[in-house]
Amino acid sequence: MWQLIRQFARTDFPDEPVPAAEDAWRHEEQGLRQGVLDLLGRALCIRQIDAGSCNGCELEIHALSNPYYNLEGLGIKFVASPRHADLLLVTGPVTLNMREAMLAAYEATPAPKLVVAAGECACTGGIFAESYAVCGPVASMLPVDVSIPGCPPAPIDLLRGIFAACRVRQR
């Protein structure tokens, strides 16, 4: 224990500057909020479905609710039931155990419904694609509007994917 404390005491503080925040997406904020209201007449409701992921994508999705990204302030919220959802945000490859549940959630989602595949596993099957327990990527089961690659995708990429899905539906 004392060795660790001595090592902390001898270590200098970093003198590199703090990286600049990427705030370019905030300029679209008001336009997106109005676009969501024009499209739906209310907030965009997202039902997140874990179809068999490692939970890396879920951690990044949870980061969208922190004060920096402020998803609720944009008029976007997560809901517990697909019956209240406008968008299904699916992570992970579709496993045999989750196939029927994911299809039931899709059927329960009222039209117009959007589907976003988040993460490399949801887009392509990832490293689990050849597993006996995996049916394949989300697009093999559902019509996907937007795919967000990355393992896991950064919260800003998830936000851009949700924005892109809203724009797809506006057309």
Side-chain angles (χ1 to χ4, degrees):
M1 178 72 173
W2 288 110
Q3 291 175 343
L4 187 61
I5 293 172
R6 275 189 233 124
Q7 182 179 356
F8 286 152
R10 284 184 292 216
T11 304
D12 291 332
F13 290 103
D15 58 355
E16 59 195 46
V18 176
E22 184 183 329
D23 289 337
W25 64 273
R26 292 183 191 267
H27 299 294
E28 299 178 30
E29 183 175 322
Q30 187 62 34
L32 176 73
R33 186 180 301 132
Q34 190 58 45
V36 168
L37 290 175
D38 290 345
L39 175 66
L40 302 169
R42 56 182 166 68
L44 175 67
C45 298
I46 299 174
R47 171 68 173 130
Q48 195 269 323
I49 299 173
D50 180 352
S53 76
C54 67
N55 290 333
C57 295
E58 280 75 14
L59 292 172
E60 300 300 319
I61 290 169
H62 287 283
L64 289 174
S65 297
N66 71 25
Y68 182 77
Y69 294 104
N70 191 19
L71 203 63
E72 294 260 346
L74 294 173
I76 301 171
K77 63 181 182 176
F78 287 96
V79 294
S81 172
R83 296 185 193 285
H84 303 144
D86 305 305
L87 183 144
L88 296 177
L89 183 63
V90 185
T91 60
V94 181
T95 60
L96 292 172
N97 293 338
M98 283 300 294
R99 179 180 57 202
E100 294 302 320
M102 186 186 69
L103 292 173
Y106 180 77
E107 291 301 320
T109 305
K113 47 188 150 190
L114 298 165
V115 178
V116 174
E120 197 63 35
C121 294
C123 295
T124 65
I127 61 172
F128 307 108
E130 302 300 320
S131 171
Y132 67 91
V134 171
C135 300
V138 176
S140 67
M141 305 283 155
L142 301 177
V144 173
D145 295 299
V146 175
S147 295
I148 307 169
C151 186
I156 189 69
D157 294 333
L158 291 166
L159 195 57
R160 286 180 182 135
I162 292 168
F163 289 175
C166 289
R167 285 190 199 106
V168 164
R169 189 56 68 181
Q170 284 177 338
R171 291 182 196 156

